Amino acid sequence: MPDIGDDLREQPAAADPAGPPAPEGGAARGGGGVLRRVRDEFLRRREASVLVVALALGAYFASASEAFLTRDNMVNITQAAAPGAIVACGIVLLLVSGEIDLSVGVVAALAPFMMHYAIDFWGVPAVPAILLALLTGTLIGLGNGLVTVVLKVPSFVTTLGTFYLVTGIVLTTSGAYPAEVPAPVDNAIGQWLGAASWAHLGWALVIVAFFHVLFTRTRWGLHTIAVGGNLLGAQEAGVRTGRIKIGNFMIAGTLGAFAGLMEAFRVHTIDPNLGGGTGLMFTAVSAAVIGGTALAGGSGTIVGGALGALVLAELQDGFNLIGISANPYFVILGGAILLAMIANVYLSRLRRAGRTR
């Protein structure tokens, strides 16, 4: 007579061959799920599209010109992109909080002249002179913020007036002539602040990383978003909206001054027409918008702004390498800004409708 206990003991063994495929199928499904989650998370990020564009442009220009991936050309691209990326950090904070600064370009022109005057005319040592130049940008930002917040003048008008005021100061005090970088800073200090081939990339990475953390991981960034997204709601929630806006103006002015110093050290000349006056400002605003920052306020990305500056630098450099006139660059830039704004508006509507996160 068969032993029932033996039959029961044999059943698990009979089921064992069918056991292993189930975990493998589950693992495969789990792996696919992970990939889908990573893909969806990547696509939801504002930086995703501009990162893809930057990589695609790099691949295209690398295939079109052997010189594109050379070390010297990579240095050229980073030196072209870094000032815009640095100033874009301040512009992103301002745009997200619902304001704008049109004067950062001329602040960049004034700052190295302040360093020059302090060292060559007033006898100030090198490091304090550099700090004075940065403080000049901070104070101009403070003035813009106070006029905008306290006197209720729209920031577009405030900073437009500051733009002309600072331009007049630069041209009058310099006689509209370039100046040499003062000897006390045309050494290791100058190398660290822009003359060395690695300086622009190093400073851009450090500054972008710092402000990305500030924007995404601190109360300052949260309040900046709240102020730009719903000013009245932020005020009722106890956010000191005026302090946030003034602080962001000061950050933008300081970063503009720093970018101006970097460019002066890079070319070993202090140029009163640095960036064409408005060139650096428009580059920073364009980079911020292309990178996913909404001009209406309330949303933006620091990393996206830096990637936007990289895209603009790639376009300029790539056009030169493959022999295309620089004129179409502005056509592409204008189209990119319009497309970025249309995409921002459309995505904002989708988010309000609850169709995307």
Side-chain angles (χ1 to χ4, degrees):
M1 182 176 180
D3 188 349
I4 297 176
D6 291 340
D7 291 341
L8 293 175
R9 284 191 293 270
E10 290 173 2
Q11 286 177 3
D16 283 344
E24 291 178 2
R29 288 192 297 272
V34 170
L35 291 177
R36 282 194 298 272
R37 286 196 296 271
V38 170
R39 180 198 65 190
D40 293 342
E41 181 63 25
F42 174 75
L43 293 177
R44 276 198 295 267
R45 293 186 175 276
R46 291 176 176 270
E47 302 92 346
S49 58
V50 70
L51 175 60
V52 171
V53 171
L55 294 175
L57 285 174
Y60 170 74
F61 288 126
S63 64
S65 172
E66 295 181 356
F68 185 80
L69 293 179
T70 60
R71 179 186 179 278
D72 289 343
N73 193 62
M74 289 294 101
V75 171
N76 289 338
I77 292 176
T78 57
Q79 290 179 339
I86 290 171
V87 176
C89 293
I91 293 296
V92 167
L93 292 175
L94 277 176
L95 290 177
V96 171
S97 61
E99 306 296 345
I100 193 170
D101 188 350
L102 304 179
S103 65
V104 289
V106 291
V107 170
L110 175 63
F113 273 106
M114 290 299 298
M115 177 187 69
H116 160 55
Y117 299 151
I119 293 175
D120 293 336
F121 298 158
W122 307 332
V124 178
V127 174
I130 293 172
L131 295 177
L132 176 63
L134 295 175
L135 181 61
T136 300
T138 307
L139 293 177
I140 292 174
L142 174 62
N144 286 334
L146 290 175
V147 172
T148 299
V149 173
V150 178
L151 301 181
K152 308 299 181 183
V153 178
S155 57
F156 184 93
V157 177
T158 300
T159 56
L160 181 63
T162 303
F163 165 79
Y164 285 112
L165 177 64
V166 175
T167 300
I169 292 174
V170 171
L171 296 178
T172 301
T173 57
S174 68
Y177 283 99
E180 293 184 0
V181 172
V185 292
D186 194 14
N187 47 31
I189 295 176
Q191 292 291 314
W192 274 90
L193 290 181
S197 60
W198 49 263
H200 278 62
L201 177 60
W203 281 109
L205 291 176
V206 169
I207 291 172
V208 168
F210 174 81
F211 281 102
H212 173 71
V213 173
L214 176 75
F215 185 62
T216 60
R217 296 289 185 268
T218 69
R219 184 174 297 179
W220 187 271
L222 177 64
H223 287 179
T224 295
I225 295 172
V227 168
N230 187 343
L231 180 60
L232 180 59
Q235 290 172 336
E236 293 179 347
V239 176
R240 299 175 66 178
T241 58
R243 185 180 68 171
I244 295 295
K245 291 191 175 190
I246 292 173
N248 286 333
F249 273 111
M250 295 172 69
I251 290 172
T254 305
L255 292 178
F258 184 76
L261 290 172
M262 285 181 58
E263 285 297 277
F265 286 123
R266 180 178 70 87
V267 300
H268 297 282
T269 302
I270 303 174
D271 185 359
N273 296 308
L274 175 66
T278 58
L280 181 58
M281 181 275 294
F282 280 127
T283 297
V285 173
S286 301
V289 172
I290 292 172
T293 297
L295 285 176
S299 63
T301 161
I302 297 292
V303 174
L307 290 173
L310 175 61
V311 166
L312 297 178
E314 282 182 313
L315 283 172
Q316 286 183 312
D317 181 80
F319 280 6
N320 290 333
L321 289 179
I322 63 179
I324 296 178
S325 168
N327 296 329
Y329 165 78
F330 295 100
V331 176
I332 295 176
L333 175 58
I337 293 173
L338 290 174
L339 289 175
M341 288 306 302
I342 292 170
N344 282 337
V345 171
Y346 178 69
L347 290 174
S348 297
R349 290 175 180 172
L350 289 181
R351 290 188 182 94
R352 285 197 297 270
R355 294 173 59 183
T356 185
R357 284 190 265 173

